[in-house]
Amino acid sequence: MAGVDGFKFTVLGKGGHAAIPDAVIDPIVAASSIVGGLQTAVSRNISPFDSAVVSVCKFQAGTSWNVIPGEAVLEGTVRTFGRDLRSRLPELLERIAGGIASGYGAETRFRWFPGIPSVNNDPDMVEVMRKAAEILGLPIVTARPSAGGEDFAFYQEEVPGRFIWMGTGGTEEWHHPKFTVNEEALAPGTALFVLAAVQALNTIAETNRQLSGA
């Protein structure tokens, strides 16, 4: 699961009458170019062996059909895997947008909204969960990376952990209005976590005994 952050650009131009475009600095035109230009943050600035998503999801400008406004506002989200790449994106987005706006005679104001870090599964905890699933006879499928966010990652900032998706056999995915949990999955799911917890505690106890020389 990816790290999730947000951004906001306010594109400042000079408003005026739509019939006299040469007397204004159109922030809508500049902002439209910024939307396209931000896609190069991934395609031309990030290694193809890394993963990132930059999506502009909100575009607001103007209040009338015949008046060019003085500003436009863009908001969106960034999804990344890994701290280094995540730390690079704010400066990169600000630089790209500022350069494009400058070409139109406009300016940008940039805000970055840090959110959820990416999930970081600990190898030892992965093995603990795998063994528990095998003991219970539960099928294991290796999940593909998802650009969705998961605040479980905050726990992993403090202690080693492993995040899993527990399949429930439903026909619709999460966030769908018809998503329904198959309650028959609750019992084996509970057993999985209980057994994994016991195994993790036993592993910790054995490690402590070895370190103490007992």
Side-chain angles (χ1 to χ4, degrees), residues 138-177:
L138 298 176
I140 302 172
V141 177
T142 301
R144 297 176 60 186
S146 168
E150 174 52 59
D151 55 13
F152 179 79
F154 284 122
Y155 291 105
Q156 294 177 316
E157 295 278 286
E158 305 297 328
V159 295
R162 192 272 174 90
F163 180 81
I164 70 166
W165 289 337
M166 187 70 188
T168 62
T171 58
E172 306 295 343
E173 296 188 3
W174 63 84
H175 299 315
H176 191 282

Side-chain angles (χ1 to χ4, degrees), residues 119-126 152 156 161-164:
V119 167
N120 182 23
N121 289 325
D122 180 80
D124 291 337
M125 293 299 102
V126 169
F152 179 79
Q156 294 177 316
R162 192 272 174 90
F163 180 81
I164 70 166

Side-chain angles (χ1 to χ4, degrees), residues 39-209:
Q39 302 311 305
T40 66
V42 175
S43 66
R44 290 298 178 268
N45 292 275
I46 294 174
S47 168
F49 299 103
D50 294 327
S51 297
V53 175
V54 176
S55 293
V56 176
C57 304
K58 185 177 181 180
F59 191 137
Q60 290 184 325
T63 58
S64 176
W65 65 276
N66 64 344
V67 177
I68 295 174
E71 67 176 45
V73 177
L74 305 174
E75 294 185 49
T77 184
V78 174
R79 308 298 171 103
T80 53
F81 297 90
R83 294 182 179 181
D84 291 342
L85 179 56
R86 185 186 185 197
S87 67
R88 289 172 48 204
L89 263 298
E91 184 277 333
L92 179 58
L93 297 186
E94 185 174 17
R95 174 168 57 82
I96 291 173
I100 293 173
S102 178
Y104 287 93
E107 299 178 3
T108 57
R109 292 177 182 170
F110 176 66
R111 292 187 65 188
W112 180 259
F113 303 98
I116 301 169
S118 58
V119 167
N120 182 23
N121 289 325
D122 180 80
D124 291 337
M125 293 299 102
V126 169
E127 186 63 15
V128 165
M129 187 65 75
R130 185 188 65 80
K131 289 182 178 179
E134 289 180 348
I135 291 172
L136 294 172
L138 298 176
I140 302 172
V141 177
T142 301
R144 297 176 60 186
S146 168
E150 174 52 59
D151 55 13
F152 179 79
F154 284 122
Y155 291 105
Q156 294 177 316
E157 295 278 286
E158 305 297 328
V159 295
R162 192 272 174 90
F163 180 81
I164 70 166
W165 289 337
M166 187 70 188
T168 62
T171 58
E172 306 295 343
E173 296 188 3
W174 63 84
H175 299 315
H176 191 282
K178 293 184 178 180
F179 173 75
T180 302
V181 173
N182 180 357
E183 295 186 359
E184 293 182 359
L186 296 178
T190 300
L192 174 64
F193 283 107
V194 170
L195 182 55
V198 171
Q199 288 188 321
L201 290 172
N202 289 339
T203 300
I204 293 172
E206 178 61 25
T207 300
N208 289 337
R209 281 195 295 270

